[in-house]
Amino acid sequence: MATRRTFLKLTAAASLAAPSIASAQASGRVVVVGGGFGGATAARTLKVLEPKLTVTLVEPNPVFTACPFSNNVLAALREISQQQFGYDGVQKTGVVLAQTAATAVDASGKTVTLTDGSKLPYDRLVLSPGIDINWGALPGYDEAAAEKMPHAWKAGAQTVLLRQQLQAMDDGGLVVISSPANPFRCPPGPYERASLIAYWLKIWKPKSKLLILDSKDAFSKQRLFQNAWAQLYPGLIEWVSLSQGGKVTAVDPATLTVVTDFARHKAAVANIIPPQKAGTIAQKAGVADRTGWCPVEPVAFESTLQPGIHVVGDSAIMGGMPKSAFAANAQAKVCAGAIVELLAGRKPVDPILINTCYSLVAPDYGISVAGVYRPDKGVLADIPGAGGTSPLEVVGGFRGQEALFASSWFKTITTEVFG
Ligand SMILES: Cc1cc2nc3c(=O)[nH]c(=O)nc-3n(C[C@H](O)[C@H](O)[C@H](O)COP(=O)(O)OP(=O)(O)OC[C@H]3O[C@@H](n4cnc5c(N)ncnc54)[C@H](O)[C@@H]3O)c2cc1C
């Protein structure tokens, strides 16, 4: 594990590496598609760094519903309304909000087409459309099936549906979570979800069981999660790895059956977290490759497939950096700084980025993983030894402190991005 000293040194290096924008002379039009953690951050940072820019944020929803802390909604520890944020704060920075969806991108003509057919011209385009479900990748799982077996991997109506199903379930029922192969949005998310549902089951439906069927043999913060499960929820959570036959190969929404190569599990509640891909507009813009995700260079996050289009957040392939809100926010700031430099005719400097993912195993039990990344051989590479996880052995109120850090992080990032 990295020492905290190494981590702090690199944090300091990150601030030193920030581009100098004091003398920027950039002007022009930047369009940002997607008003989530990546896009809203990029739009407001661009405007703050260079007020002369015309920055338009394209987002169809008047209110953004955040995924981080949405697992607390499932465990009735929060309400969905506490996950929701409007765009007044973004507009106050001078960003123009186009409350509509982008339907097409003309990369050579440099325009974005909106739902009403009108076109927005740009000098630089930032795409941060998050994920879309890769419908069809899991036999039996389509949009209709998601109404019976919710994914709840885009927060909102799906989160509320899964919570309602858990509350309506009889005590003694089997809850099944299907966790996908890498890469996917929020690598520790399925295990935080299992933990908080277990927390809730232990109180309200103590005869119930939770089964995680996994398409992987290892997962983020695995030992920390598994140690905590043994301590807090003994016998309640069972994890079945890929090599133990955990990969879900099909689902039957009519009977809530989850199928693997070795067994058929009849669930009382089935949470299917399916394979994912970059948001559909990224495919339409021609910036996604055959993996379904978007390759970018590691300094300004410009697409390696379409010049002039930058991709940040979950849609992008960011080397070792995981798909998280923390990462999307950090990438968006670096991208905005680099665009200001490029529009002013200068070369952006190499960035150093940091990611920290907190997870709650119980409301007062937090764990975390941190990583530090920099460009290396054309990708954003993990700096070996610079990151680390929470210690396995702790004394006193350490886990409680981390739970408080998690909560402060969420308040801070949502205030910074939407406040
Ligand atoms: C259960 C769960 C828990 C999580 N917990 C954490 C956590 O604790 N910490 C953490 O850092 N991350 C967490 N995440 C991950 C985090 O939510 C994502 O990584 C983050 O939202 C990615 O930001 P983004 O900008 O790429 O996408 P999003 O935040 O999803 O934003 C995408 C936006 O693009 C818009 N959009 C899509 N298509 C179009 C279009 N054609 N035109 C216009 N707009 C469009 C959408 O409406 C949306 O507003 C969690 C995720 C889940 C599912």
Side-chain angles (χ1 to χ4, degrees):
M1 201 188 76
T3 64
R4 210 146 280 264
R5 206 175 319 136
T6 334
F7 181 75
L8 288 174
K9 260 197 227 157
L10 283 156
T11 312
S15 6
L16 289 175
S20 156
I21 46 79
S23 58
Q25 294 297 315
S27 62
R29 298 154 303 183
V30 184
V31 174
V32 180
V33 173
F37 283 102
T41 304
R44 65 189 298 165
T45 310
L46 280 159
K47 199 64 195 166
V48 168
L49 292 181
E50 185 41 86
K52 275 186 281 178
L53 291 177
T54 303
V55 181
T56 308
L57 176 63
V58 182
E59 165 62 54
N61 299 309
V63 166
F64 176 71
T65 306
C67 286
F69 274 73
S70 65
N71 287 328
N72 293 50
V73 175
L74 300 177
L77 296 162
R78 284 170 79 79
E79 294 308 316
I80 197 75
S81 56
Q82 293 173 274
Q83 298 294 112
Q84 293 176 326
F85 304 89
Y87 290 97
D88 289 354
V90 178
Q91 290 182 88
K92 276 190 195 136
T93 63
V95 170
V96 178
L97 181 68
Q99 205 204 304
T100 181
T103 55
V105 173
D106 175 356
S108 48
K110 292 197 162 182
T111 60
V112 174
T113 307
L114 306 178
T115 311
D116 66 0
S118 61
K119 289 185 196 300
L120 272 179
Y122 66 80
D123 297 305
R124 294 263 161 189
L125 171 64
V126 181
L127 295 182
S128 189
I131 56 148
D132 265 318
I133 304 300
N134 198 354
W135 302 113
L138 176 62
Y141 201 68
D142 56 15
E143 272 131 313
E147 295 304 311
K148 296 265 173 53
M149 305 170 116
H151 53 78
W153 220 239
K154 289 184 173 198
Q158 280 273 306
T159 317
V160 173
L161 176 63
L162 184 54
R163 171 168 156 165
Q164 283 166 349
Q165 290 186 348
L166 288 165
Q167 297 198 336
M169 181 185 95
D170 288 336
D171 189 8
L174 176 69
V175 179
V176 177
I177 296 180
S178 163
S179 184
N182 294 321
F184 65 101
R185 161 176 278 183
C186 193
Y191 314 96
E192 179 191 71
R193 174 170 289 179
S195 307
L196 291 180
I197 291 178
Y199 168 82
W200 184 82
L201 290 175
K202 192 175 158 184
I203 298 170
W204 299 103
K205 319 240 169 175
K207 289 186 240 151
S208 306
K209 291 268 179 292
L210 192 152
L211 179 65
I212 308 169
L213 297 173
D214 214 323
S215 295
K216 301 177 289 302
D217 273 328
F219 61 86
S220 175
K221 294 178 262 190
Q222 183 167 347
R223 284 187 66 197
L224 286 161
F225 272 115
Q226 289 181 320
N227 287 358
W229 293 343
Q231 184 195 331
L232 301 178
Y233 315 118
L236 205 163
I237 299 177
E238 184 187 352
W239 175 66
V240 186
S241 68
L242 170 70
S243 49
Q244 292 166 327
K247 182 184 161 89
V248 173
T249 53
V251 296
D252 177 7
T255 58
L256 295 190
T257 303
V258 184
V259 183
T260 67
D261 278 341
F262 300 96
R264 297 174 67 85
H265 303 274
K266 172 91 181 73
V269 173
N271 169 214
I272 306 299
I273 305 169
Q276 298 147 35
K277 59 179 184 172
T280 303
I281 190 69
Q283 335 276 331
K284 290 186 181 164
V287 293
D289 67 14
R290 273 186 298 172
T291 65
W293 305 102
C294 308
V296 293
E297 50 76 22
V299 176
F301 310 133
E302 189 166 356
S303 166
T304 56
L305 304 177
Q306 298 286 4
I309 304 182
H310 302 252
V311 188
V312 295
D314 287 357
S315 285
I317 302 170
M318 287 286 178
M321 215 171 178
K323 298 187 187 303
S324 75
F326 193 120
N329 174 260
Q331 291 157 11
K333 287 174 185 163
V334 167
C335 179
I339 286 176
V340 169
E341 295 294 289
L342 289 166
L343 289 174
R346 291 188 294 263
K347 189 175 175 293
V349 298
D350 278 12
I352 292 185
L353 289 96
I354 295 167
N355 176 66
T356 306
C357 282
Y358 293 100
S359 300
L360 294 178
V361 187
D364 58 354
Y365 191 122
I367 55 178
S368 64
V369 57
V372 189
Y373 308 86
R374 70 173 164 218
D376 187 19
K377 300 183 188 74
V379 297
L380 203 55
D382 186 31
I383 302 178
T389 62
S390 313
L392 280 173
E393 305 295 337
V394 293
V395 288
F398 195 97
R399 305 289 191 216
Q401 282 288 328
E402 285 228 84
L404 289 175
F405 291 158
S407 178
S408 306
W409 167 78
F410 185 71
K411 278 194 202 121
T412 305
I413 194 168
T414 50
T415 305
E416 185 198 295
V417 179
F418 300 102

